């Protein structure tokens, strides 16, 4: 057993509370003091929008661990409504201020753990201090917004920012039948995702009555009686009852910075893989720290609850004599947007480009489960991988069903060092209500491995957009499908069943690009033509990917009946 020591933890919730509980399980005799600025030491941050929207009915369900329960279970000295204002590293003590009484107290430590989290970004926009502008970080913020929503007086709300919190709040407000204007500076919502995966989200938002304003920012706020005018960068303004600011968060590092602890290049507290800061007696966990990306090995900021929990446990282990290492962060995440879900793990294509990493990408569009079983839904998956050895860099998935399942499988593949070849062979659950004999994850493996084995020469949509006259585009979909959608500009329609009989109509002096709805029939046509001596490539992801990348997604409604299995 480790020597008795005093462990002071600043901040609760995922990182701090997990650290406290783990420390007590490892050492019954340690003095553990948890200091939390708010009234609650552990609450479900990710559940706050769902409580506001009424999906979670009981406020108490959000309180993962109360102070009373924490004390009863773990005998931890808990001090809520108390803020640590200063760290005296030379004396190994902190100054804690009781926010109710204003009194300050010195608390000594042998080991200090910082878990201050991240704070909402509030840029210096004129009028931003209006009391009609709210952020969502804690239970107090939640109670304020909830009272406005339930008070029946709110008819129109402006949400600024289309990230996780912004999207979840949009859904919560629409569930309450409140008109919502969503203002987003970028050309897409969900900035962490690649742009083509935001296209279905845009449609979903509009289909649920959201007034979506992309490439627009809030230029100013003005109180207008009991209303608020939100001035837009594109001109004009929107009058609303209140505004929710959700443009992102930044690590809360003031306490660490004032204490002289090293801050990383991304603005978070710098820690090693033992969660130790530049001071060997001070550890830091959660949203306030910089982490190492699992794929690229670069320092980054990834504010997620799962990693924060693990970091809290690891800090406690090391404080109490166990050699425990944090094994980097993958950024595996998912977000619900009305009836859609978007999930991702590893690096996005945007991140790969930013880090100058060589990669290949493929798209597949299989159904969530067996197409002949009722209510199968199309999904879109994207996989990024190393063109040399098939190492998996990252994946995206969007659709109505089974998104978490596929992303979780690929996340484990990345963690385990598997390649696209392994995805071909992975054996997953199958019964018609749940999946297909060839799971969407298998399809990713098949498509990627075909490229690496040189069984298919692929073409990306971006190549066609950059030089459309360079290729002979051949759409091998059925004619009725083409009539329901459209051809890619300049393409010729030769249904797959007619390709063999119309070889003479195809040029041998120009590169042919075959495509279908999602890629499978295009690949079959490719195999026919390549063996007949044509210079040919297949368009990855087919027409659906073309539509997504060019800005308009196809419907993701449940499939009622599939007439032609090759269409998937």
């Amino acid at each position: 057993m480790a020597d008795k020591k005093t462990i002071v933890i600043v901040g609760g919730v995922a990182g701090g509370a997990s650290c406290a509980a783990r420390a007590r399980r490892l050492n019954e005799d340690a003095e553990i003091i948890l200091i939390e600025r708010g009234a609650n030491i552990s609450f479900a941050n990710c559940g706050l929008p769902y409580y506001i929207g009424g999906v979670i009915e009981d406020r108490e369900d959000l309180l993962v661990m109360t102070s009373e329960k924490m004390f009863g279970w773990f005998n931890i000295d808990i001090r809520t409504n108390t803020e640590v204002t200063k760290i005296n590293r030379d004396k190994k003590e902190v100054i804690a201020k009781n926010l109710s009484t204003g009194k300050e107290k010195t608390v000594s430590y042998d080991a200090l753990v910082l878990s201050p989290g991240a704070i909402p970004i509030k840029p210096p926009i004129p009028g931003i201090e209006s009391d009609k502008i709210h952020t969502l970080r804690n239970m107090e913020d939640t109670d304020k917004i909830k009272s406005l929503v339930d008070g029946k007086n709110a008819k129109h709300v402006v949400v600024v920012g289309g990230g996780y919190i912004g999207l979840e709040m949009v859904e919560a407000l629409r569930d309450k039948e409140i008109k919502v204007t969503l203002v987003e500076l970028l050309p897409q919502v969900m900035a962490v995702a690649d742009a083509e995966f935001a296209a279905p989200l845009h449609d979903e938002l509009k289909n649920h009555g959201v007034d979506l304003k992309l490439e627009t920012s809030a230029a100013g706020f003005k109180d207008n009686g009991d209303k608020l005018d939100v001035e837009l960068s594109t001109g004009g303004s929107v009058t609303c009852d209140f505004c929710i600011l959700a443009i992102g968060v930044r690590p809360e590092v003031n306490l660490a910075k004032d204490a002289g602890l090293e801050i990383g290049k991304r603005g978070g507290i710098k820690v090693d893989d033992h969660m130790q800061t530049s001071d060997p007696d001070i550890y830091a966990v959660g949203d306030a720290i910089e982490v190492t990306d699992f794929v690229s090995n670069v320092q980054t900021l990834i504010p997620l609850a799962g990693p924060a929990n693990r970091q809290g446990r690891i800090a406690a282990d090391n404080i109490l004599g166990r050699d425990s290492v944090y094994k980097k962060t993958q950024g595996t995440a998912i977000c619900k947007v009305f009836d859609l879900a978007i999930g991702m793990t590893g690096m996005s294509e945007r991140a790969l480009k930013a880090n100058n990493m060589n990669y290949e990408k493929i798209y597949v569009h299989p159904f969530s489960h067996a197409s002949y079983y009722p209510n199968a839904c199309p999904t879109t998956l994207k996989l990024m991988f190393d063109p040399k050895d098939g190492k998996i860099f990252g994946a995206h998935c969007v659709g109505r069903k089974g998104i978490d399942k596929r992303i979780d499988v690929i996340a484990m593949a990345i963690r385990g060092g598997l390649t696209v070849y392994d995805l071909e062979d992975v054996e997953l659950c199958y019964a018609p209500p749940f999946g297909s004999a060839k799971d969407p994850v298998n399809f990713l493996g098949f498509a990627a491995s075909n490229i690496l084995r040189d069984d298919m020469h692929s073409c990306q949509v971006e190549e066609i957009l950059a030089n459309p006259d360079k290729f002979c585009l051949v759409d091998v979909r059925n004619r009725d499908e083409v009539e329901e959608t459209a051809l890619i500009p300049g393409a010729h329609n030769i249904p797959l069943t007619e390709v063999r009989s119309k070889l003479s109509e195809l040029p041998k002096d120009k590169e042919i690009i075959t495509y279908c709805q999602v890629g499978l029939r295009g690949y079959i046509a490719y195999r026919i033509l390549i063996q007949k001596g044509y210079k040919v490539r297949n368009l990855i992801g087919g027409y659906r990917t073309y539509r997504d990348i060019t800005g308009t997604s196809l419907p993701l409604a449940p499939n009622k009946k599939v007439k032609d299995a090759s269409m998937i």
Side-chain angles (χ1 to χ4, degrees), residues 399-430:
R400 299 190 185 281
K401 294 181 180 179
I403 307 308
D404 54 340
K405 173 180 177 178
R406 275 76 200 202
I407 289 296
D408 283 345
V409 170
I410 298 168
M412 285 297 295
I414 293 174
R415 178 66 62 172
L418 303 185
T419 69
V420 298
Y421 301 114
D422 296 303
L423 297 186
E424 289 183 293
D425 298 323
V426 67
E427 187 174 332
L428 302 173
C429 289
Y430 164 59

Side-chain angles (χ1 to χ4, degrees), residues 40-52:
N40 306 104
I41 58 166
S42 185
F43 57 91
N45 301 64
C46 300
L48 300 182
Y50 301 106
Y51 170 63
I52 292 171

Side-chain angles (χ1 to χ4, degrees), residues 32 44 82 171 186 202 221 275 305 325 337 408 417 419 488 493 526:
I32 304 171
T82 301
E171 181 175 351
L186 298 176
H202 298 162
F221 302 95
M275 314 316 302
V325 173
V337 183
D408 283 345
T419 69
I488 294 176
N493 179 217
Y526 163 86

Side-chain angles (χ1 to χ4, degrees), residues 367-378 401 432 557-560 562:
F367 283 113
S368 55
H369 58 252
S371 59
Y372 55 82
Y373 189 87
N375 297 319
C377 297
K401 294 181 180 179
N559 171 55
K560 300 302 182 182
V562 176

Side-chain angles (χ1 to χ4, degrees), residues 379-391:
T379 60
T380 294
L381 293 100
K382 177 183 182 181
L383 190 76
M384 282 70 66
F385 56 96
D386 192 323
K388 294 180 180 178
D389 58 12
K391 178 183 177 182

Side-chain angles (χ1 to χ4, degrees), residues 60-73:
E60 297 301 308
D61 290 341
L62 295 173
L63 303 179
V64 178
M65 179 66 73
T66 64
S67 298
E68 295 76 17
K69 190 175 181 179
M70 190 82 165
F71 176 77
W73 282 22

Side-chain angles (χ1 to χ4, degrees), residues 477-494:
R477 293 177 296 168
N478 298 334
R479 290 186 176 85
D480 59 342
E481 294 176 72
V482 174
E483 290 173 359
E484 291 177 0
T485 55
L487 289 168
I488 294 176
H492 308 278
N493 179 217
I494 304 177

Side-chain angles (χ1 to χ4, degrees), residues 78-254:
I78 298 171
R79 307 179 188 183
T80 55
N81 296 308
T82 301
E83 182 177 11
V84 172
T85 59
K86 187 176 182 181
I87 302 170
N88 293 320
R89 289 169 54 193
D90 53 341
K91 296 181 180 180
K92 295 183 70 172
E93 63 185 25
V94 300
I95 307 300
K97 180 180 180 180
N98 186 306
L99 298 179
S100 299
T101 65
K103 293 183 178 180
E104 293 185 339
K105 186 176 182 179
T106 299
V107 183
S108 299
Y109 64 84
D110 294 306
L112 177 65
V113 181
L114 302 179
S115 181
I119 56 177
I121 295 172
K122 294 183 70 174
I125 301 172
I128 199 165
E129 298 305 325
S130 169
D131 60 7
K132 298 183 183 70
I133 300 173
H134 302 270
T135 57
L136 184 62
R137 185 192 186 195
N138 52 38
M139 293 297 294
E140 290 75 20
D141 296 336
T142 303
D143 292 337
K144 289 178 183 177
I145 298 172
K146 178 75 169 173
S147 65
L148 292 171
V149 169
D150 290 349
K152 307 299 182 184
N153 293 322
K155 305 297 183 184
H156 188 181
V157 175
V158 172
V159 176
V160 180
Y164 290 99
I165 294 297
L167 291 173
E168 289 165 357
M169 279 308 308
V170 165
E171 181 175 351
L173 293 165
R174 289 301 296 141
D175 284 347
K176 289 288 188 177
E177 299 183 349
I178 295 173
K179 181 179 179 182
V180 178
T181 298
L182 175 57
V183 177
E184 169 56 55
L185 176 63
L186 298 176
Q188 67 172 86
V189 300
M190 191 59 70
V192 294
D194 289 330
E196 67 271 28
F197 278 75
L201 305 184
H202 298 162
D203 287 347
E204 187 76 358
L205 290 164
K206 294 173 184 176
N207 289 340
H208 283 81
V210 177
D211 179 19
L212 178 60
K213 296 185 182 297
L214 298 174
E215 298 184 86
T216 305
S217 64
F221 302 95
K222 288 185 178 179
D223 285 321
N224 182 4
D226 60 352
K227 304 289 184 180
L228 178 71
D229 291 335
V230 181
E231 299 175 351
L232 304 179
S233 60
T234 52
S237 65
V238 178
T239 300
C240 61
D241 296 287
F242 65 92
C243 173
I244 294 176
L245 201 62
I247 59 177
V249 297
R250 60 177 176 81
E252 187 168 353
V253 298
N254 289 341

